[in-house]
Amino acid sequence: MPDLSLNKTHDESRQGEAFAPSATDSSNHRRRFYIESYGCQMNFSDSEIVASILNKEGFGATGNYEEADLVLLNTCSIREKAEQTIRKRLTEFKKIKEKKPGMLVGVLGCMAERLKSKFLEEEQLVDIVVGPDAYRSLPALVEEAGTGQKAVNVLLSRDETYADISPIRLDSNGVTAFVSIMRGCNNMCSFCVVPFTRGRERSRDASSIVKECYELFNNGFREVTLLGQNVDSYYFIDEANDDIVTFAKLLERVALISPLLRVRFSTSHPKDITDEVLHTMAKHENICRYIHLPVQSGSTRILQLMNRTYTREWYKAKVDRIREIIPGCGISSDVIAGFCTETEDDHRDTLNIMQYSRYDMSYMFVYSERPGTLAQRRYIDDVPAETKKSRLTEIVKLQNRLSLESNRTDVGKIFKVLIEGDSKRSSQDWMGRTSQNKVVVFPKKNLNHKKGDYVMVEVNDCTQATSLGELEE
Ligand code: SF4
């Protein structure tokens, strides 16, 4: 599979970050595209699918939008701030377009449906709008826009999974890759736009997932992250093998490709993650000891308003089960501060469940009302901005302490680390991750290790975000 060696501008994060190419594909393409991805890993993975579709049509990637014939923004609607960022970016591109009229600008992803008329007609910021299920139509839309017409396809599909498309790895470190296993979501969390922007849940053909992971492994990759909005509800009827493939079975199939291939996954819904999945993780050393289990709130009353369909007690029991079946498993979370009607007691419940769960890391946000969601239609966004902010500050402070405590318990222990590349600070040091997804930095010591190698590292110090160690010789 081609690797265009593109770099993302930020470390991977689930919300509101941009990933943009920074290197140029040297192959001889007639036209160049530039793509930035905002938001979650799913979006980043989608950009790799889009890159593959464009590549087949003769487009090569560029890291410099000023030399691009086609500029694409893969957008996220989850937070208001992400939308503001996109609008600002589009205004910048509009200025370039004034000097370079032939350049086409397109918006992909979650914002496409909601803002299509605003972007296309009212503000005239873009030429092309493509929803998450319509990427195959992008080449035709580019042609249409090239004739001066506005080109739009935001139709959602019940069965599109892009199973047959081999993504082009954007910004690849050559070691870790995302593999999309399903699309859409059937849950209706009241704060979330995903069911509206990405449509109904569909699971991708299991064999195509295993094939993609196998090819990645053969191309030198050593870690795959299986991606879906709710991976535990993965369900595929494998008629060829007369089998029903659950997420646990899929995990096992991928894990069996090679013990040298690490397997991660994201995201799990607390109501759906099963003992079968946990036992499968415990059985295979190469399935990473790490689960992203978003709690969102620690208050049962707020969880009900959020339509999360579990209680605080259910969530705590799930954490206990994980710790029982997979001792030493890392757990991370998403936390929202200041959801509609949240009281000080509800907020205390959130702090309390964070402490109970001892999260290694969390993605933490103030609640931001999104148009069209159930919460927007049913509830009043009544927690004052100042209160939201101060609650978030407390949540972040607590998480920082929990992360540091968690890292301190690793000091003096030896971990198997997969080397991902040079550390950000020094080319004399490697950066890698433990099975628990913790970042470890350690001196290279002139030993002949390389990216993609597994090494044993003794952790001897840490900060809240990083462990420091020495290679075991
Ligand atoms: S599980 Fe809930 S929060 Fe996650 S994508 Fe689905 S609706 Fe949104």
Side-chain angles (χ1 to χ4, degrees), residues 16-52:
E17 298 282 1
F19 307 106
S22 66
T24 301
D25 166 24
S26 57
S27 50
N28 194 19
H29 292 284
R30 280 177 292 123
R31 294 178 288 179
R32 299 265 162 204
F33 74 94
Y34 170 90
I35 188 164
E36 276 180 19
S37 299
Y38 290 80
C40 60
Q41 292 166 343
M42 284 295 287
N43 256 14
F44 182 63
S45 173
D46 271 10
S47 290
E48 298 187 325
I49 289 168
V50 168
S52 177

Side-chain angles (χ1 to χ4, degrees), residues 275 278-279 282 317-329 331:
D275 276 9
L278 301 181
H279 285 300
K318 209 46 105 172
V319 168
D320 293 346
R321 200 76 182 127
I322 292 169
R323 302 234 185 265
E324 184 188 327
I325 298 175
I326 320 166
C329 187
I331 304 180

Side-chain angles (χ1 to χ4, degrees), residues 435-452:
S435 176
Q436 290 77 6
N437 207 28
K438 290 191 182 172
V439 171
V440 187
V441 171
F442 50 97
K444 293 181 177 176
K445 281 189 167 173
N446 289 327
L447 297 169
N448 285 330
H449 295 301
K450 57 186 184 319
K451 278 197 308 183

